[in-house]
Amino acid sequence: MAPEGQIHITYDDVAMRFEDGTTVMLRKPNLKIVELAYGDMHPDVMMSARVAPPMIGLGLLESVPESTILEFAKQQQQDTTPVAGTPNYVLDVRTKEMTLGRFGWKAGQPNLMQQNAAAFNGDVGLTSALFTEENCTDQQDLCTESLSGGDPEVSDNILNFVEFYTQHLAVPQRRNINNPEVLAGEALFKKVGCDNCHRTNIQTAKREGLPVLSNQTIHPYTDMLLHDMGEGLLTVVLNTMHLARIGERHHYGELGIPKK
């Protein structure tokens, strides 16, 4: 089966000047899909460059109480900081209710089970109990006519195994914790207010049947909110029931040494 197209990427050099006069050069990516195999793309298709988020520690982030995340947003709004975060609410396909988003681009998925099932469907084209329709367009006859791998193709048993795997990928041990340069960076991190959003200490909730994720103090360097990062990071993502604001980006946790 022919791929939908090929990614063509070029870069523009962009000069950025700091207050002390130092100039650095950044690269701005320009994306284009070429060699389209199934017709022209819609003129309103939106594209932006992405780096895959880390898989480690996701079960711990899933275990952060919703009330904690909402309290972060409340505190930031009260502080009237220019980077105050906003919670994102998305559709839980199992409960059919709007719930707090935590995973994916712009916190577009509410939990790891749905995140995994959506990846099976959108990335690999496999159906499951959560996403029962094949991910084929009307122009892809080979896709619609191909043999099915089952109904569904990903069983609940496999979904449960993958959920457990993604929940329990461990966070590496922090290194160089007494290194003077690391300690100086940590002090600077706090001094300039990075930890207002990149939260360094969060307590997870007690979760039935998941003892290693329960009642843990974690250091994720995230508040799991959406933040307006300015025109330079302008993107729009349309979720099932919510349009994320222009320029907002979800903070995925470093779960390690802070970098700012």
Side-chain angles (χ1 to χ4, degrees), residues 1 125-128 131-136 142-154:
M1 185 182 301
L126 299 178
T127 60
S128 67
F131 298 96
T132 58
E133 299 295 326
E134 297 281 356
N135 188 24
C136 304
L142 285 176
C143 181
T144 56
E145 296 171 2
S146 62
L147 293 176
S148 171
D151 187 19
E153 294 167 305
V154 181

Side-chain angles (χ1 to χ4, degrees), residues 60-67 69 88 90 99-104 106-111 224 250-252:
L60 295 170
L61 293 180
E62 188 179 49
S63 303
V64 175
E66 179 175 338
S67 59
I69 299 171
N88 190 28
V90 297
T99 187
L100 182 69
R102 295 172 183 258
F103 303 105
K106 299 182 186 294
Q109 299 291 352
N111 50 59
M224 303 186 74
H250 185 220
H251 280 171
Y252 252 99

Side-chain angles (χ1 to χ4, degrees), residues 4-10 28-36 40-51 105-106 231-238 246-247 249:
E4 287 85 350
Q6 300 293 331
I7 299 174
H8 178 71
I9 184 168
T10 59
K28 178 183 177 181
N30 304 300
L31 301 176
K32 187 177 181 180
I33 308 298
V34 298
E35 300 179 29
L36 295 170
D40 294 334
M41 299 179 70
H42 192 280
D44 294 332
V45 166
M46 296 174 289
M47 294 182 289
S48 59
R50 287 289 184 262
V51 176
W105 305 122
K106 299 182 186 294
E231 293 293 324
L233 295 173
L234 177 73
T235 56
V236 179
V237 171
L238 181 64
I246 291 175
R249 173 160 293 186

Side-chain angles (χ1 to χ4, degrees), residues 78-192:
Q78 291 175 344
D79 292 341
T80 64
T81 62
V83 290
T86 304
N88 190 28
Y89 285 89
V90 297
L91 181 68
D92 186 315
V93 298
R94 275 187 164 173
T95 66
K96 309 303 181 185
E97 296 178 351
M98 299 300 290
T99 187
L100 182 69
R102 295 172 183 258
F103 303 105
W105 305 122
K106 299 182 186 294
Q109 299 291 352
N111 50 59
L112 289 174
M113 175 63 79
Q114 185 165 314
Q115 166 80 357
N116 297 336
F120 272 123
N121 188 248
D123 298 347
V124 192
L126 299 178
T127 60
S128 67
L130 275 71
F131 298 96
T132 58
E133 299 295 326
E134 297 281 356
N135 188 24
C136 304
T137 69
D138 294 338
Q139 301 296 321
Q140 295 173 296
D141 294 337
L142 285 176
C143 181
T144 56
E145 296 171 2
S146 62
L147 293 176
S148 171
D151 187 19
E153 294 167 305
V154 181
S155 67
D156 288 346
N157 190 44
I158 292 177
L159 281 181
N160 290 332
F161 275 129
V162 175
E163 179 190 40
F164 184 88
Y165 173 77
T166 54
Q167 285 176 330
H168 290 86
L169 275 176
V171 179
Q173 184 177 5
R174 182 177 172 179
R175 299 167 295 172
N176 306 321
I177 59 176
N178 296 316
N179 184 298
E181 187 175 358
V182 171
L183 295 175
E186 185 173 16
L188 180 62
F189 185 87
K190 295 179 179 179
K191 181 179 179 181
V192 300

Side-chain angles (χ1 to χ4, degrees), residues 6-21:
Q6 300 293 331
I7 299 174
H8 178 71
I9 184 168
T10 59
Y11 294 92
D12 293 332
D13 291 331
V14 179
M16 300 293 294
R17 185 181 179 87
F18 290 99
E19 291 183 0
D20 64 359

